[in-house]
Amino acid sequence: MSLKNPYGDFEITEPQALRALAHPVRLAILDRLQRHGPATATALSPHVGATPSVVSWHLRHLATFGLVTDWDGATSKRERWWQAAARGFRFTLPDDAEGQAAGRQLRGEMFARYADAPQQWLLQDEPRLDAEWRGLAGVADTRFVATADEMRQLEDAIEELLAPYVRRKDDQAPPTGAQVVRMLRYVLPEPGDDSAAS
């Protein structure tokens, strides 16, 4: 596991870690810690749909793979505080059958978790934005033809472009007028249709 990528995301490569994260409560815990900062199992409980003892168990399980760590900034030592190891995570499907299965399981959980995110944004967040920010939001459904190498180059270029914004330091004052923006990107190669390449 490393943070050697433009976003500083946690890189998951082990099938066991992929399977560990492929659980709705664990994904919810990690998402909450990444978006809202350190918290205790008790504080996380109402946001992830599990009791504090169950959340505590899941936190310890995530910690065995380095996805969460103890937070030493707590003023009280009565409760254990946790933090995400990085702002985000990424994974690639390993070559072996076990890794492929674990990666597909995690992808499935992630698709299920974020399936209604655009609709929730439309109902809850979009009405509270001013006209300028509403105008900047968008949805695209673009199909194109590319080789696997070209797709890797495209992904690298997108990451290099976004990295300075993703890695802005929390203690650094954001520019005037800045807001948090969430970009959901689905890269979904379609099965080979030889006619598309001609």
Side-chain angles (χ1 to χ4, degrees), residues 24-30 32 41 44-51 55 113:
V25 174
R26 290 184 206 130
L27 273 176
I29 288 168
L30 188 58
R32 183 79 188 173
L44 289 165
S45 176
H47 302 286
V48 302
T51 65
V55 172
R113 175 163 177 75

Side-chain angles (χ1 to χ4, degrees), residues 8-194:
D9 285 347
F10 195 89
E11 293 187 345
I12 305 172
T13 57
E14 302 166 13
Q16 298 88 345
L18 293 171
R19 275 196 307 277
L21 192 51
H23 185 286
V25 174
R26 290 184 206 130
L27 273 176
I29 288 168
L30 188 58
D31 184 60
R32 183 79 188 173
L33 290 174
Q34 288 172 335
R35 294 179 76 191
H36 299 282
T40 64
T42 301
L44 289 165
S45 176
H47 302 286
V48 302
T51 65
S53 61
V54 169
V55 172
S56 182
W57 184 87
H58 284 304
L59 282 162
R60 290 191 305 274
H61 196 63
L62 289 169
T64 63
F65 298 102
L67 290 159
V68 299
T69 62
D70 286 305
W71 183 57
D72 59 3
T75 55
S76 168
K77 301 295 181 192
R78 295 184 65 199
E79 286 189 288
R80 189 172 185 181
W81 283 73
W82 297 88
Q83 65 183 353
R87 286 181 189 236
F89 69 90
R90 64 177 59 209
F91 65 97
T92 54
L93 293 183
D95 294 332
D96 59 276
E98 179 190 12
Q100 293 276 320
R104 284 183 51 80
Q105 184 181 358
L106 179 52
R107 277 185 178 165
E109 284 296 333
M110 291 177 70
F111 281 146
R113 175 163 177 75
Y114 300 115
D116 71 340
Q119 186 66 24
Q120 292 302 315
W121 174 86
L122 188 65
L123 295 173
Q124 297 172 10
D125 298 328
E126 193 264 355
R128 298 182 304 154
L129 295 172
D130 64 32
E132 180 180 19
W133 280 102
R134 277 196 308 272
L136 291 170
V139 177
D141 183 1
T142 306
R143 293 178 74 224
F144 56 90
V145 176
T147 66
D149 284 340
E150 289 170 334
M151 275 306 304
R152 280 188 279 275
Q153 291 171 17
L154 181 58
E155 283 293 307
D156 290 346
I158 291 169
E159 288 196 355
E160 289 298 327
L161 186 63
L162 289 175
Y165 305 99
V166 172
R167 299 195 71 169
R168 278 188 169 149
K169 301 293 184 204
D170 289 330
D171 57 350
Q172 181 182 23
T176 302
Q179 288 192 201
V180 173
V181 176
R182 185 175 193 182
M183 181 180 289
L184 297 176
R185 288 191 301 126
Y186 293 90
V187 178
L188 306 172
E190 297 181 359
D193 176 4
D194 293 339

